[in-house]
Amino acid sequence: MTILAFAEQRDNTFKKTAFEIVTAAKKLAESSGAEVVGIVVGDKVKSIAPALGTYGVARVIAVEDPKLSQYSSTAYAAIVANVAKKIGADVVLFPATAMGKDLAPRVAVKLDGGLAADCTALRWENSELLATRPVYAGKALIDVKMNSKCKVFTLRPNVFTAVAVGEASAQVEEHTADLGDAEYSTQVKEIAQSSGKIDVAEAEIIVSGGRGLKGPEHFKLIEELAEVLGAAVGASRAVVDAGWRPHDEQVGQTGKTVSPSLYIAVGISGAIQHLAGMSSSKYIVAINKDKDAPIFQVADYGIVGDAFEILPALTQEARKLLGK
Amino acid sequence: MKIVVCVNHVPDTETKVKVSPDGKSIERTGVNFIINPYDEIAVEEALRLKEKQGGEVISVSLGGDTHKETLRKTLAMGVDKAVLLKDETPRDTFSVARALSDYIKELQADIILFGKQSIDSDTAAVGPMVAEMLGIPSVTVVVKLEIKNGVVLAEREIEGGHEHVETRLPAVVTAQKGLNDPRYPSLKGIMAAKNKPIEERQPTPAANKVEIVAMQKPAAKTPGRIVGTDASAVPELLRLLHEEAKVL
Ligand SMILES: Cc1cc2nc3c(=O)[nH]c(=O)nc-3n(C[C@H](O)[C@H](O)[C@H](O)COP(=O)(O)OP(=O)(O)OC[C@H]3O[C@@H](n4cnc5c(N)ncnc54)[C@H](O)[C@@H]3O)c2cc1C
Ligand SMILES: Nc1ncnc2c1ncn2[C@@H]1O[C@H](COP(=O)(O)O)[C@@H](O)[C@H]1O
């Protein structure tokens, strides 16, 4: 049995999820005797590929071409599917990131395989591969199995922990992309970075603000705390709809589903749609002046009080604690 | 321009999920169903494309008779024609995508719009799967869309920024919040929709690859500790985060 693990890179740097994916693959392999093969796609990516060895992968396939320097869903999907066929992959793992979620469905169709998206656990049971995934925005969890020969999974970021096992560097094989023009039909032309911002979907810590902040101008209190903690800024839908914060910060059922290690909700009531998007965070802190706000039902620690008083104190004390 | 928009009918976001006795699905009684919120954005985008460039908008939903309610809503918003691929069998995304693509193939559409994801299954896969089955490009999680002379310029959300993607029609686009603000159907639209027929079709039979073996509610969280009621609680909160939770 062979497991193909897609190691996402951008600008020739592996994303944290790349190490999570290969570690997950390695774990599945250990309990089943499967071989893990890493795959990295891009321009001049051969040089970064050996680093996957640190996470226990012995063999990595690098597909590089100047034309692959920017992401192309059509080309990347064709490449991954071609490699999967060549090595006879039974399982293909992607991160459930913007790139992984874009690719996995196309690759699944090319391989005539089932797809389980945004999985939070993978395990063998009676030699069958079972995946757990949240549905209804985390209000329920399902276990699924697949009857297709090839099985495709995307794994939720921040859930599978990357484990370095040593200094070993992986054996890198170079494969050519070997695609026609049609396969490059979809091309990223440019990436507009939100300047220096940490995205809620990738953050270890999130400080989120809601309507309790009273106005967009008060979000600087949230931003200051986020900066000290190295956190991303999140928002409730109420403040996104009010135009106080951009769409990409919205957490919840119709925003982003997040699972950081720490989620700090300030002036957020904890509506069911908001909880759906963040209740799988490892630790939740609520700051709200209403002791009956539903957010306290899911919080590990809470302060019932005025955000305008607590936030500046929290920022100041955190700065001391973290020596900033 | 021939514009197709695929719409799903899902439990509304207020739904408190209860697992039904079969242990594999949710209790549906008492649940209010709505058009999938992202699909409403896709419908709005379809209508705007038509308003700008002319053409026809067809909405398609795969499911039981209850999906007609959502199709009716798309008609009320201004869609020209609604089609129900009538089938009650539970399907995985592959099987949904197969039925949709088999039907859409006949239509020779220029653009096929989807929501970013269904808020029930949360798979975010049917759109790109249909594109792959039709052998056409897809751009997912789109927050800005422009089409000129068959060229598609789309902005899609990625971690920490936006990708500007270029491709050509025919193509699949999946809609993310921020692409537009969906219109409310006008009273006239709602009245007119009552009389418009909904075409029924027999979809390609389900052939699922993924099977649900169990459904559970996530372990309920026990409410935590109230550390205090004013700023004097801040040092203790930080101590707990640092020493007990070890997240700082
Ligand atoms: C289809 C649909 C989808 C939705 N999707 C989402 C989603 O993805 N994400 C989402 O967040 N919501 C979503 N919602 C909206 C959701 O129902 C709530 O309306 C929203 O989450 C409320 O935002 P809020 O908590 O900021 O505001 P409110 O509910 O108004 O809460 C404000 C809170 O601030 C507290 N407060 C006030 N002043 C202070 C102060 N000085 N100090 C401390 N606390 C204070 C109040 O006690 C209150 O609890 C959705 C709704 C629908 C219908
Ligand atoms: N049963 C269905 N009928 C029509 N369109 C659907 C159906 N299921 C999903 N879709 C479309 O596919 C998108 C993504 O769904 P999913 O992959 O289930 O998250 C939705 O936003 C809809 O546009």
Side-chain angles (χ1 to χ4, degrees):
Chain A
M1 185 160 79
T2 308
I3 303 173
L4 184 63
F6 180 81
E8 179 174 341
Q9 60 82 25
R10 286 200 186 255
D11 299 325
N12 290 26
T13 307
F14 279 122
K15 304 278 280 193
K16 188 169 145 248
T17 55
F19 307 128
E20 296 175 3
I21 294 294
V22 294
T23 304
K26 179 81 168 78
K27 286 228 169 97
L28 280 183
E30 270 165 8
S31 45
S32 66
E35 185 197 8
V36 176
V37 181
I39 177 167
V40 49
V41 183
D43 183 26
K44 304 197 181 72
V45 288
K46 214 166 50 191
S47 58
I48 62 166
L52 294 178
T54 315
Y55 297 86
V57 182
R59 181 178 171 205
V60 179
I61 293 174
V63 185
E64 58 174 39
D65 193 300
K67 279 196 282 193
L68 298 169
S69 68
Q70 290 279 33
Y71 176 61
S72 158
S73 55
T74 36
Y76 276 47
I79 287 167
V80 178
N82 287 345
V83 167
K85 281 182 198 156
K86 212 180 291 178
I87 66 169
D90 305 279
V91 173
V92 185
L93 303 182
F94 289 96
T97 54
M99 189 185 285
K101 287 197 275 194
D102 196 46
L103 282 175
R106 299 197 72 116
V107 170
V109 170
K110 284 179 192 287
L111 299 174
D112 198 30
L115 169 68
D118 210 18
C119 301
T120 52
L122 287 178
R123 66 181 184 281
W124 296 104
E125 217 172 273
N126 307 325
S127 69
E128 233 166 352
L129 188 49
L130 284 189
T132 303
R133 54 180 306 265
V135 290
Y136 301 95
K139 292 176 196 168
L141 299 170
I142 55 174
D143 285 340
V144 299
K145 62 176 186 186
M146 292 185 209
N147 59 24
S148 51
K149 179 178 176 297
C150 186
K151 303 168 174 66
V152 181
F153 302 87
T154 65
L155 309 189
R156 178 175 289 191
N158 271 341
V159 173
F160 295 80
T161 322
V163 183
V165 292
E167 289 297 298
S169 84
Q171 183 103 31
V172 181
E173 288 166 36
E174 196 182 338
H175 288 213
T176 51
D178 225 358
L179 303 177
D181 284 346
E183 254 109 15
Y184 290 97
S185 64
T186 311
Q187 270 296 337
V188 170
K189 291 292 171 186
E190 186 193 335
I191 294 179
Q193 222 99 31
S194 323
S195 56
K197 241 171 70 166
I198 306 171
D199 194 87
V200 288
E202 290 189 308
E204 281 289 339
I205 303 178
I206 297 171
V207 186
S208 266
R211 194 139 53 188
L213 269 300
K214 307 279 192 273
E217 66 282 10
H218 298 132
F219 267 78
K220 69 169 191 304
L221 296 173
I222 297 278
E223 285 166 344
E224 280 162 7
L225 177 60
E227 188 179 337
V228 171
L229 300 179
V233 174
S236 71
R237 164 157 155 188
V239 303
V240 170
D241 283 358
W244 300 358
R245 301 301 299 178
H247 289 292
D248 60 9
E249 289 180 3
Q250 183 182 321
V251 172
Q253 189 157 12
T254 54
K256 288 184 178 150
T257 309
V258 297
S259 29
S261 39
L262 174 60
Y263 188 91
I264 304 178
V266 187
I268 290 178
S269 59
I272 187 167
Q273 298 94 346
H274 191 81
L275 299 185
M278 46 63 79
S279 52
S280 68
S281 305
K282 291 186 192 88
Y283 282 90
I284 297 169
V285 171
I287 298 169
N288 194 304
K289 68 176 187 189
D290 174 9
K291 69 170 188 358
D292 296 321
I295 189 75
F296 287 118
Q297 297 299 313
V298 299
D300 298 279
Y301 308 113
I303 298 181
V304 181
D306 185 354
F308 294 98
E309 190 200 321
I310 293 156
L311 273 176
L314 193 51
T315 306
Q316 195 187 358
E317 291 294 318
R319 199 173 272 138
K320 274 194 237 158
L321 175 73
L322 302 170
K324 288 190 184 169
Chain B
M1 176 137 96
K2 191 169 235 179
I3 305 159
V4 173
V5 54
C6 295
V7 291
N8 201 0
H9 190 62
V10 298
D12 92 17
T13 57
E14 294 285 340
T15 305
K16 297 212 169 64
V17 165
K18 269 207 229 83
V19 178
S20 78
D22 73 0
K24 295 179 181 183
S25 59
I26 65 159
E27 197 67 77
R28 295 169 83 88
T29 41
V31 173
N32 181 38
F33 282 76
I34 55 167
I35 180 171
N36 184 40
Y38 296 108
D39 302 356
E40 205 173 344
I41 301 171
V43 171
E44 176 64 33
E45 200 62 20
L47 295 172
R48 288 186 190 188
L49 281 174
K50 177 188 158 175
E51 281 154 12
K52 253 189 269 170
Q53 321 210 351
E56 184 190 17
V57 181
I58 303 169
S59 60
V60 183
S61 192
L62 169 79
D65 273 323
T66 53
H67 282 230
K68 282 185 180 164
E69 204 184 307
T70 273
L71 287 169
R72 200 66 75 198
K73 161 127 194 188
T74 66
L75 288 169
M77 286 174 77
V79 159
D80 299 296
K81 183 179 147 185
V83 179
L84 176 68
L85 303 179
K86 194 167 158 180
D87 183 43
E88 305 266 4
T89 347
R91 289 179 182 246
D92 68 356
T93 33
F94 203 107
S95 204
V96 171
R98 178 63 72 205
L100 290 172
S101 67
D102 282 350
Y103 172 66
I104 292 167
K105 211 180 296 169
E106 291 174 25
L107 297 176
Q108 303 274 325
D110 296 294
I111 186 162
I112 310 149
L113 292 153
F114 292 81
K116 175 191 81 158
Q117 74 188 55
S118 303
I119 62 162
D120 54 0
S121 68
D122 288 332
T123 308
V126 170
M129 277 189 168
V130 166
E132 184 62 43
M133 288 169 181
L134 295 173
I136 63 176
S138 51
V139 190
T140 57
V141 201
V142 168
V143 292
K144 205 168 160 201
L145 180 65
E146 211 181 304
I147 293 172
K148 259 195 212 125
N149 307 322
V151 176
V152 179
L153 296 169
E155 244 179 82
R156 69 184 293 261
E157 213 174 83
I158 62 167
E159 295 81 10
H162 288 175
E163 274 177 348
H164 295 241
V165 183
E166 187 179 315
T167 192
R168 290 197 69 82
L169 294 180
V172 160
V173 167
T174 80
Q176 163 70 325
K177 188 176 172 184
L179 181 60
N180 58 48
D181 286 315
R183 69 194 63 186
Y184 292 103
S186 64
L187 197 57
K188 205 172 123 226
I190 295 170
M191 296 314 284
K194 287 203 171 127
N195 300 320
K196 284 194 203 167
I198 291 175
E199 188 182 321
E200 286 185 24
R201 290 287 207 115
Q202 185 95 43
T204 315
N208 292 342
K209 299 180 188 297
V210 178
E211 185 196 330
I212 299 177
V213 290
M215 179 184 273
Q216 308 106 36
K217 296 268 288 175
K221 243 184 138 158
T222 42
R225 197 170 337 162
I226 299 299
V227 186
T229 54
D230 56 27
S232 68
V234 163
E236 175 62 2
L237 174 64
L238 282 171
R239 188 193 68 77
L240 289 167
L241 292 175
H242 186 57
E243 291 170 15
E244 191 177 88
K246 299 191 169 66
V247 288
L248 286 185

